[in-house]
Amino acid sequence: MPLRDTSADHAATDRTFQVDLRGLVDLLSHHLYSSPRVYLRELLQNAVDALTARHAVEPHGNFGIRLYADGKVVRVEDDGVGLTEADVHTFLATIGRSSKRAERIAEQRADFIGQFGIGLLSCFLVADEIHVLSRSARTPDAPAVEWRGRGDGSYTVRTLPASARPRPGTTVTLTPRSDAGDWTRPQQVHALARHFGSLLRHPVTFDDGSGGQAAPVNPEPAPWARSFPTPGARSRALAAYGEEVFGFAPLDTIELDLPAVGLKGIACVLPEAVPAGRRHGHRVHVKGMLLSEQAEEVLPEWAFFVRCVVDAESLRPTASRESLYEDATLAAVRDALAERLREWIARAAASDPDLLGRFLQTHHLAVKSLAVHDDEILRMLLPWLPFETTDGHTTLDEFARTHRTVLVTSSVEEFRQVAAIASAAGLGVVNGGYTYDRELVHRMPEIRPEVSVADLDPATLTAHLDPVDRETELAAAPYLAQARDALAVFDCDVALRTFQPASAPALLVDSREARHERTRSRLAREQEGGLWGDILGALRQEAPRAQLILNQLNPLVRTAVAIDEPELARTSAEALYGQAVMLSRRPLRPAESSLINRSFLDLLAHALRKDS
């Protein structure tokens, strides 16, 4: 049986999407634009693009943009290319349509700021009606045309006599809503115009309706686009501009120039250190119009010691025109700007040691993060970078002159445990516990082949501690036995040696890895018999013990080892252990905190009983 053709019963009908303009504006305001203030940027941008198109028709014309705001209306007037009646129907009445696309200017987009046909809708963020009056420069005999768009989605179009607008161009007038006063009062409009348009290449003026002379919005070109009598004058002007924009006096300014993408600007070196990885936003203009003040993506993460202000021709904005589109061009710009920063560091290292010293003193962590991954910076700056050592804070170059063998700890607490004793023993130890430090110290032989670097081994340190004579060892044996018994709960052995400085009563030789292994072994014993205990037991090794080394040269230790009262001997050993733990500055475990408190109180009670 043949199948029945049902196509006639279900004929398809073409329909047109219905657009809820109020809903679309709400979407723009809450999800595309960061603030209603962008309405003025969009109006300025449309005016600039219209001027760009006018210059293509009349290359030598003198055209500009005029802003007016008196608290009742906001008006933006340009001498741009203008619109005909057909253009108005095509481009203002169709959401998403762009005249630049329609006229096949895709190949010439570098001349225009905008690439999306939704900018005019941003005016509905502050007004319920948009009034546009325009006259075309391409069709000089065409009448002026008026378009009124309303927030409910309706609009009207009518033609007017040429006298309604004697010159080609476009005027956009907004009557602000009562709730938009914060964004449309005269002072704010002027401030927004300066904020977004201070680097525009076309003249922009502002009139507040008071009858005075219109104020220039962008009276001077960017400082990098101006000529100066001397290099010093140029440097001072760039620094002054950086301070005006960012609010701090730069440690130095780095001029940026990438002709391939039409990018110019400056990088301002921060005068104060910032935490590693805290990225600052950079001020990015596209063809003079401010795109973003928080564009992190123009520089790599390691360049957190500068803030940039740049103006580019070829960077591509996102739909909101408040950030940059991540593409191959932006990636190439980021790499090129990173290279400019490296070149600045190289120049400072080669010709301005004072500047380099101030920079490294402030931003050594940023440079260390760069040197880890950049061999050129490593070779150039590693000898100059400051490190914490047993000789104090010094550069590796200076430290290596005294110590041909450089020992490096794996943690800050390890360094603090051994620093005083290692220094007295003549050992050269570097604190490798800070970010990047241990890795960089180990690369020192690449720069200074005569220097050897090794991790600090506890055996290396204890080898420099002298044993006591046999008679002293035997006399102290009862005390040492009591001390070992008191500290067994901490898996800590006790030994008696002599070492400098004599002011140090004890040295605790321990490591984070050893403590972890002891914790694992203790858990294995507690969980014995269960599945978890079997797993830990399979991993069981001989747990490394901590070692409390008492200094026979210290008067307090000589007195302690002679104690013949068992309880007092245990208490003094606990006190010496607690003091050694605190000197290491590592976090105290609860049992250690309890021991320190108890031993102090017991010693105090013993002293009071003795006095009474």
Side-chain angles (χ1 to χ4, degrees):
M1 181 178 177
L3 293 175
R4 180 186 174 191
D5 184 0
T6 61
S7 58
D9 298 335
H10 302 282
T13 303
D14 288 335
R15 299 182 182 274
T16 302
F17 283 106
Q18 301 298 309
V19 176
D20 178 357
L21 189 57
R22 289 192 184 278
L24 182 57
V25 171
D26 183 69
L27 181 67
L28 294 178
S29 63
H30 288 94
H31 300 286
L32 183 63
Y33 296 128
S34 61
S35 164
R37 68 178 185 167
V38 299
Y39 83 92
L40 192 67
R41 185 198 64 195
E42 297 293 335
L43 290 177
L44 281 173
Q45 177 177 291
N46 289 342
V48 170
D49 285 344
L51 290 177
T52 302
R54 179 77 181 272
H55 275 290
V57 178
E58 303 176 52
H60 304 295
N62 184 19
F63 309 123
I65 302 170
R66 293 164 294 283
L67 304 180
Y68 177 89
D70 61 2
K72 299 177 181 178
V73 298
V74 175
R75 184 177 301 125
V76 178
E77 181 179 5
D78 67 69
D79 300 320
V81 72
L83 300 170
T84 63
E85 182 181 3
D87 292 335
V88 166
H89 282 290
T90 302
F91 305 125
L92 298 188
T94 306
I95 295 172
R97 180 71 62 84
S98 166
S99 62
K100 293 177 283 294
R101 277 197 301 273
E103 295 179 11
R104 302 183 181 277
I105 305 181
E107 300 86 1
Q108 306 169 25
R109 268 186 181 166
D111 295 334
F112 295 89
I113 301 173
Q115 297 180 23
F116 304 89
I118 59 176
L120 196 62
L121 289 181
S122 65
C123 295
F124 285 122
L125 299 177
V126 297
D128 287 326
E129 182 175 284
I130 304 171
H131 175 258
V132 178
L133 180 63
S134 188
R135 183 178 172 188
S136 175
R138 289 197 181 95
T139 313
D141 56 347
V145 59
E146 178 189 67
W147 178 87
R148 289 183 184 271
R150 289 169 286 275
D152 61 4
S154 63
Y155 70 93
T156 58
V157 179
R158 63 172 180 159
T159 58
L160 301 173
S163 59
R165 182 174 176 92
R167 296 181 300 175
T170 300
T171 301
V172 180
T173 304
L174 310 178
T175 302
R177 293 194 306 270
S178 59
D179 62 351
D182 287 345
W183 303 112
T184 57
R185 64 180 185 270
Q187 299 92 330
Q188 182 71 309
V189 172
H190 190 198
L192 290 176
R194 289 277 299 161
H195 180 73
F196 289 117
S198 62
L199 298 186
L200 289 175
R201 291 82 184 268
H202 304 284
V204 183
T205 59
F206 173 78
D207 183 355
D208 63 3
S210 63
Q213 187 174 2
V217 168
N218 51 345
E220 290 185 312
W224 51 81
R226 304 201 301 264
S227 298
F228 296 90
T230 64
R234 184 177 186 84
S235 295
R236 288 189 294 274
L238 294 176
Y241 181 75
E243 185 171 5
E244 177 187 348
V245 170
F246 295 123
F248 62 82
L251 187 67
D252 195 21
T253 54
I254 307 163
E255 194 158 358
L256 307 173
D257 187 3
L258 304 178
V261 292
L263 183 147
K264 290 180 179 291
I266 56 172
C268 297
V269 181
L270 292 162
E272 296 179 352
V274 293
R278 177 184 290 178
R279 301 182 67 184
H280 287 287
H282 306 287
R283 191 178 176 94
V284 175
H285 298 251
V286 175
K287 303 173 188 70
M289 182 70 72
L290 178 64
L291 179 79
S292 174
E293 296 176 278
Q294 299 297 327
E296 297 180 352
E297 58 272 24
V298 295
L299 285 179
E301 290 186 8
W302 56 259
F304 52 82
F305 56 89
V306 297
R307 293 193 70 182
C308 292
V309 52
V310 298
D311 186 17
E313 296 288 336
S314 302
L315 293 180
R316 185 177 165 197
T318 59
S320 67
R321 290 186 284 276
E322 295 184 328
S323 59
L324 293 170
Y325 189 81
E326 187 69 47
D327 58 9
T329 300
L330 179 58
V333 166
R334 184 163 49 238
D335 291 343
L337 292 180
E339 184 58 30
R340 297 298 182 272
L341 297 185
R342 290 189 186 93
E343 291 171 357
W344 173 82
I345 294 174
R347 286 196 303 273
S351 60
D352 197 338
D354 289 340
L355 173 60
L356 179 68
R358 295 197 305 274
F359 170 66
L360 292 180
Q361 185 177 8
T362 305
H363 297 294
H364 56 86
L365 188 58
V367 178
K368 286 178 180 179
S369 70
L370 175 57
V372 166
H373 307 291
D374 192 308
D375 291 344
E376 183 180 350
I377 294 296
L378 177 79
R379 287 191 298 272
M380 205 165 26
L381 294 183
L382 181 59
W384 298 86
L385 291 172
F387 289 82
E388 185 179 8
T389 75
T390 46
D391 291 352
H393 281 84
T394 184
T395 65
L396 283 186
D397 206 39
E398 189 173 334
F399 192 66
R401 292 175 193 162
T402 309
H403 306 281
R404 292 302 184 189
T405 299
V406 175
L407 303 173
V408 59
T409 65
S410 59
S411 68
V412 173
E413 66 184 62
E414 223 176 73
F415 177 81
R416 288 169 177 166
Q417 286 175 16
V418 305
I421 289 87
S423 178
L427 297 176
V429 182
V430 178
N431 186 349
Y434 296 115
T435 307
Y436 312 118
D437 282 16
R438 183 167 174 267
E439 185 175 354
L440 289 172
V441 173
H442 272 287
R443 297 191 68 178
M444 185 65 180
E446 298 176 30
I447 316 300
R448 298 284 184 268
E450 69 277 9
V451 177
S452 62
V453 176
D455 287 327
L456 177 65
D457 189 323
T460 303
L461 183 63
T462 53
H464 285 75
L465 307 180
D466 296 326
V468 297
D469 59 68
R470 184 172 178 77
E471 290 77 11
T472 302
E473 183 85 36
L474 288 173
Y479 177 85
L480 295 177
Q482 293 281 357
R484 291 186 186 108
D485 184 60
L487 301 179
V489 67
F490 300 111
D491 291 312
C492 183
D493 196 7
V494 184
L496 186 65
R497 298 287 187 272
T498 64
F499 54 86
Q500 295 293 338
S503 59
L507 166 67
L508 181 64
V509 179
D510 199 6
S511 69
R512 185 180 303 170
E513 293 75 14
R515 290 196 301 277
H516 287 173
E517 178 59 29
R518 290 197 298 273
T519 300
R520 190 203 58 75
S521 297
R522 176 175 52 78
L523 288 173
R525 291 193 299 271
E526 293 173 356
Q527 298 288 337
E528 215 166 292
L531 175 61
W532 182 240
D534 292 342
I535 293 172
L536 292 174
L539 299 173
R540 185 174 298 166
Q541 302 174 0
E542 183 65 30
R545 305 191 73 191
Q547 192 170 37
L548 180 68
I549 303 175
L550 305 180
N551 186 4
Q552 175 64 18
L553 297 180
N554 183 268
L556 178 63
V557 172
R558 288 201 300 270
T559 301
V561 297
I563 295 173
D564 55 8
E565 298 178 39
E567 287 302 317
L568 183 58
R570 291 175 62 90
T571 299
S572 65
E574 291 172 344
L576 288 168
Y577 174 82
Q579 191 254 4
V581 171
M582 287 192 294
L583 284 177
S584 73
R585 302 185 195 177
R586 69 166 168 80
L588 295 175
R589 291 174 288 179
E592 291 170 338
S593 297
S594 176
L595 173 140
I596 291 170
N597 291 333
R598 186 180 67 250
S599 62
F600 170 76
L601 293 174
D602 287 350
L603 288 174
L604 181 60
H606 176 81
L608 292 174
R609 285 196 304 271
K610 184 177 180 181
D611 289 343
S612 62

